[in-house]
Amino acid sequence: MVLPSIFKYDIDERRELIDTIMGRKPADIVIVNANILSVTTGEVLENYSIVVKGRRIAGIGRYDDLHKYIGKKTLVINAENNYVIPGFIDPHIHIESSLLTPTGFAKLALKHGTTTIVADPHEIGNVAGIKGVIAFIEEAKNLPLKILIDIPSCVPATDPRRGLETIGYSIDVDDIRKLAELEGTVGLGEVMDFISVVNGNKNILEKVEAATRYGLRVNGHAPLLRGNTLDAYINAGIYSDHETLAYEEALEKLRKGMYVFIREGSAWRDLERLSKILLEDKIDCRYCCFASDDLNVLDLYEKGHMDRIINEAIELGIDPVKAIQLATINPAKYLHLDDHIGVIAPGRLCDLVFTKYLNYIEPHTVIANGEIIYYKGELKKEFRKPTYSSGLLKTVNIGKNIKTDDLIVKASIKDGSIKVNIIEVYPGSTLTRKRVEELKVENHVVKPDPRKDIMYAAVIDRHHGTGNIGRGFIKGLGFKAGAIAQTIAHDTHNLVVAGYNPNDMKKAVDRVVEIQGGVVIIDNGEIIGEINLRYGGLMSIEEPEIVYKKYKSMITRLKEEYNIMFEAFFMTLALISLPVIPEIRLTDKGLVDVSKGEIIPLIPSHE
Amino acid sequence: MVLPSIFKYDIDERRELIDTIMGRKPADIVIVNANILSVTTGEVLENYSIVVKGRRIAGIGRYDDLHKYIGKKTLVINAENNYVIPGFIDPHIHIESSLLTPTGFAKLALKHGTTTIVADPHEIGNVAGIKGVIAFIEEAKNLPLKILIDIPSCVPATDPRRGLETIGYSIDVDDIRKLAELEGTVGLGEVMDFISVVNGNKNILEKVEAATRYGLRVNGHAPLLRGNTLDAYINAGIYSDHETLAYEEALEKLRKGMYVFIREGSAWRDLERLSKILLEDKIDCRYCCFASDDLNVLDLYEKGHMDRIINEAIELGIDPVKAIQLATINPAKYLHLDDHIGVIAPGRLCDLVFTKYLNYIEPHTVIANGEIIYYKGELKKEFRKPTYSSGLLKTVNIGKNIKTDDLIVKASIKDGSIKVNIIEVYPGSTLTRKRVEELKVENHVVKPDPRKDIMYAAVIDRHHGTGNIGRGFIKGLGFKAGAIAQTIAHDTHNLVVAGYNPNDMKKAVDRVVEIQGGVVIIDNGEIIGEINLRYGGLMSIEEPEIVYKKYKSMITRLKEEYNIMFEAFFMTLALISLPVIPEIRLTDKGLVDVSKGEIIPLIPSHE
């Protein structure tokens, strides 16, 4: 583990802090009348002062001779007996899900009191390989939000040799070793392929072992894993999980020495189900943390980040101190970074959140690494617009001009009807079911059927310009407009398009290619919704407030004018191409039967 | 931090564990009917099984199909619903104080359930420099007790340039870097020189910073440090302390993010005073640990190690689960070794202690690294006698034959009386006071005065054979026999001799030189007590049970036949030569006024 340079704590810095608190040098900031939350003891320390020098805290206490810390340039902040709590830590998040760049995310997350996150750049890793991960690391270096990096462990989601899809990039064990030597990588991202783990698969164990050797923390992804299968998974060296769904499952994981990251994101919300653990007085919760996993820009902007989760927990009856520990000291201990973050104490990085109430966290002043980022709600820090290499801004290459014919399904019969393997989806769920439906054929073209809610879908390789297109039908999406195209399609993030009208579909594809990534909704030849995600086809490079406003106005318009619930389609289509979740998926190579792990024909052979 | 090889967790080992718990390979040990203490959740898990493969735990649970883990060679242990708790961890101990070698200590400590210690080889470091530290590391490699090493930070206790004593060896910042690269060093030993720390002294900060750079944990020594001085000390990067004496002091340290190691050793016992913290429901105690610091062979053999501290805590009313957490998961978290030790869980080293009761810990079966060391009280493991280089067994070199004249004090006057600077001691306290006393002179010899409890004392360089001898008088020791000589004399461990009769003193010195280190008590020319400490002049190389028996019989005989309370003299003399504790000490260079930091004349100049 090579920590980012902000964590470096050299002799000069130590001496500066010592000299400051001994009164030999003036402090940079002195905070008075603070009600500090001590997360180590679980107490509120009333009327304390905090003396800050450079990036770190020089001392906390009720000093009699406070004047000796205050020089001409010292900033004195009166906390007015507000609570001052440690900056929040999110131990597992995919920044890409917010549609924001790391810089954009940082600006909003800091507003909500987050000062450290562990980001798993799994999406950009799929789109750009280690170059994408390195781009995140580089961008993080200039930010007041400490963005620590989990190296994505499962890129691509499927073994390319199985030929189920055209992948973007892969990150192999050698890449992991290379990345582990870079500043800022602290962990191996969620190990999703638990089947391989419990089978003792060499490839995945090599990755985990390599990560451990570099001192990285290995993160799990083990929904519903129990009993000896869970033991086997842990034995690989995986000591945390953020996919725990049920109370008993969480308890078992905690008992087996696993950190349980209680996830409360935008789409997946586990807090209420797992809150029972936090409500039981007799259960030690030091192995519990909160994590957001995936958070969209809407929730981030309107409801917040870790503050939102803490507030929801408090509303469920959980003790505020305990809730805050789950977002501060507990993840710091998990990360073995408790010497630096998660605690308001001498020698620690000065990451502070001011809130008027402890039972409802509303950060108004946020200090990160001794720097005031927000003061009474007002932004005090300039976030410089990052620049990106053209390689990361031009990631959509479909290799040819798409024709409507490329997106529709043809049959050997000229007219009549034909049985077709289709994908049934359930918006709100990640699962799909394989169905056989009878569809009309007109002049060799198999037709979608709006009455049955069956529409065209196609997945186009957008990474290598092979011209590969997989075609099929989706049932149950409930989409009413002409077509939707998007470059967010886990995990490979090829270009997915769905619709009734091939002309609208072509137009949506053309537009997504033109803007080099994003989401485009077309109805009757008109663009009725668009999000430009130029960075890797995943993230917007605009200011986060602009991204939020555009997103908000788009979904409002779609809902009010077209009765389209954008989120549901977008999320469902984003998973339509992931050939590791049962039961049937569509990739650029065609329909995939997930349990068989093979491509199956669209039109069953006996027809 | 380079962990000992026992911590290595390579792919093959991971796969073995996975294969075992998946039923593909038989287990080595299966423990049934265990009431496991889960220190992560604080619960007792009744009727659990523990499946062990090699050094680690493959799984814990209530498995329906236990038979699949049991092969022909699998050892099945019925725990008979005894409590099975994690092996204990002592985060701070000086093995040398037990008078035992690491091997001898390991044999007894394991019997009492200790499976990991962090040893600070400060004494052997003073006697043999880094060679002594390396000898400890090497010996530890063959032991089932995991002995992790703190590199002594303050060897020697005083800067040799000040010339207050002839030191044995020194360990400088380059030595620290060298040692930090060796397997098994996990920390920097107690940073005693807190004055230098708060003054921002470059030399000491360099040591701390170098240690941090290697990922070592830095241990404190900060008795009574409070307020901004404590802040300054912490700012150096020192996040633990085992010298906390009072409740409020402990609370302040915890609040400031310091781990408080509640010390309960043989001589220094802080548990009762600090127990209030552990008794308060509202104080989170995750930053509290137990530590023994110094433990003599008597207590270790008769009362135990961490089990003794836990039992004392329980007797003071502390919840047994909490008490056990202070000796298991809490130190594991402090050390950042929670992936390996301190928890009974899959993937962790199999360190188990069986005890019939949870509210009185009496280990009868102890497993360390998957190996049964004691089974129902019976030793099952052979401890091979270690061999030591002659350099470590021949450390007493006084350079010449001592004559009685070397040990007495002379005056310029022939007869009469004279004022002399003497050292007043208070057995049981580490402090001394400088006194001026009038002593008789007979034929130019200044005489001791038994009625005033004033005796001769001398300190002889025993490392380099310089022939240096410092002479003086001690008042208040209460010693009644002829003479006592010993090679344990913190921190330099020169040869100290005290007595009334110069012939007995010479005999004691001669005998200590002859046996190459130890303690010898002479009365009227006869050896009435002797401990042979051939290893560095500090430790006995005999079997620990023999050391115990000899020690016990010696102190009993001294008490019963001579009314001598051995411990009190021995401990007081062991500190008489340490020129960093107020107020006056005796080294081989003469009397040291500690506050002035200089040698002062024995006979005040105005006399």
Side-chain angles (χ1 to χ4, degrees), chain B residues 318-339:
Chain B
I318 292 152
D319 172 47
V321 173
K322 191 190 258 189
I324 293 167
Q325 285 177 324
L326 263 74
T328 55
I329 190 171
N330 292 12
K333 297 298 288 184
Y334 167 73
L335 292 164
H336 294 166
L337 292 179
D338 44 306
D339 288 357

Side-chain angles (χ1 to χ4, degrees), chain B residues 286-328:
Chain B
R286 65 173 84 187
Y287 269 56
C288 296
C289 302
F290 290 135
S292 66
D293 196 2
D294 292 297
L295 196 61
N296 69 30
V297 64
L298 215 62
D299 286 337
L300 175 58
Y301 190 91
E302 292 179 356
K303 297 180 190 161
H305 183 205
M306 304 308 286
D307 54 344
R308 158 180 161 270
I309 307 180
I310 294 166
N311 286 334
E312 285 178 15
I314 294 169
E315 212 156 289
L316 289 164
I318 292 152
D319 172 47
V321 173
K322 191 190 258 189
I324 293 167
Q325 285 177 324
L326 263 74
T328 55

Side-chain angles (χ1 to χ4, degrees), chain B residues 46-113:
Chain B
E46 291 183 356
N47 275 308
Y48 264 52
S49 299
I50 305 172
V51 179
V52 184
K53 184 74 176 181
R55 300 189 287 221
R56 292 185 184 249
I57 296 166
I60 64 166
R62 288 188 183 154
Y63 304 108
D64 297 327
D65 43 0
L66 209 54
H67 63 274
K68 77 176 172 190
Y69 300 128
I70 301 171
K72 280 181 190 166
K73 294 181 180 170
T74 305
L75 176 71
V76 178
I77 298 176
N78 188 339
E80 293 166 345
N81 286 103
N82 275 222
Y83 294 92
V84 180
I85 62 184
F88 303 130
I89 303 166
D90 187 343
H92 179 69
I93 184 166
H94 306 284
I95 291 176
E96 300 96 319
S97 299
S98 69
L99 310 183
L100 303 173
T101 61
T103 302
F105 182 88
K107 201 173 165 188
L108 295 191
L110 279 158
K111 191 168 165 54
H112 288 280

